[in-house]
Amino acid sequence: MSTPSAIIVGVGAEQGLGAALCRLLADKGYHVFIAGRTLENIAKVADTINASGGSAEAIETDATDEAAVKRLFEHAFAPQDDIDPPDFVVFNAGINRHIGFRGITAAEFEEFWRICCFGGFLVGREAARHLVPLGRGTVIFTGASASLRGKAGFAQFAAAKAGLRMISQSMAREFGPLGLHVAHTIIDGGIDGERLRSRRPDVQADTLLNIDAIAETYWHIHRQHPSAWTQEIDLRPYKETF
C-alpha cells in the first residue's frame, strides 16, 4: 500500500504554522515534502518527524524563484513505488513588519509582493498544472487580516495579501469544477509561534491563534466532501474583539 503525500511551502521554525502542518500530516500517515528558504530550519522539522516514525523530506525552496518551485513540484510528483503523488498543497510563505507609508522603498514593496503574492501564484500554478490532470487535490493559501483590510503602516503587506486572496478566488472558480479544491484562510490575529514570541514574549496565549488548532482546520478543509467545499474561512482567538 502506497503512502499519500503533501507539499507544504513556507515552513520555518519548528514552532510555526508550517511545521505544525507538517507534523499533523505526518501523523495522518502522509509523506511530507517540506519546503522553505532556510535548509537548517526545515531539516530540523523533517528530522523531528522522521525520528518519531513519520515520513518527511526537506527541500530548500525559495517560493519566489520560478525554477526552484518547478523543481519542487517535479520532484514531488515524480513516480515513486511507495509514495503517491501529492493531493494536498499549502502555500504558507509570508513576511510582515510595520513600515510607515512615506518610508516604504520600492524594493521593500516589491519584496512583500514577491513573497506574499507572486510566490503564491507560482505555487498555485504548479499545483494546478500537476493536480488538475488527476482530477483531485486541495490547495490552501494562508492569508491574514490584511487580506481584507489595510492598516496604517502595513500597506505593503495588505496589497500583497489581498492579491493572494484574488489568486485563490480565481483558481477556485477555474479549477473547482475540475475537481481541485482551492481555499483561502484568513488568519485574523497573531499566531502563537516562535516568530511572534521572539518579539512579544509576554503576550497572553489565549489572545493568539494556536498553531496546531489552525493546522487541524486546514486538515478539515482538505477532507471536506465536494458537495460542501469551503473557499474561504476566517480564524481568530476567542478574545479577539473583531
Side-chain angles (χ1 to χ4, degrees), residues 159-241:
K161 281 295 188 180
L164 181 67
R165 185 179 183 226
M166 293 302 101
I167 289 171
S168 77
Q169 289 187 11
S170 298
M171 285 184 62
R173 290 180 170 90
E174 183 171 354
F175 301 121
L178 303 178
L180 180 60
H181 184 185
V182 181
H184 176 255
T185 62
I186 299 169
I187 308 301
D188 193 10
I191 294 176
D192 192 4
E194 184 175 317
R195 180 185 298 178
L196 187 150
R197 286 288 183 176
S198 65
R199 301 195 309 267
R200 299 168 58 194
D202 298 328
V203 67
Q204 294 182 337
D206 60 2
T207 65
L208 303 175
L209 290 105
N210 178 273
I211 55 175
D212 297 313
I214 301 172
E216 286 285 355
T217 297
Y218 281 51
W219 174 253
H220 171 71
I221 292 171
H222 176 50
R223 300 300 296 171
Q224 286 177 333
H225 189 275
S227 69
W229 273 353
T230 292
Q231 201 289 304
E232 184 167 84
I233 190 170
D234 57 338
L235 303 174
R236 61 179 60 85
Y238 73 101
K239 286 195 174 181
E240 172 66 58
T241 58

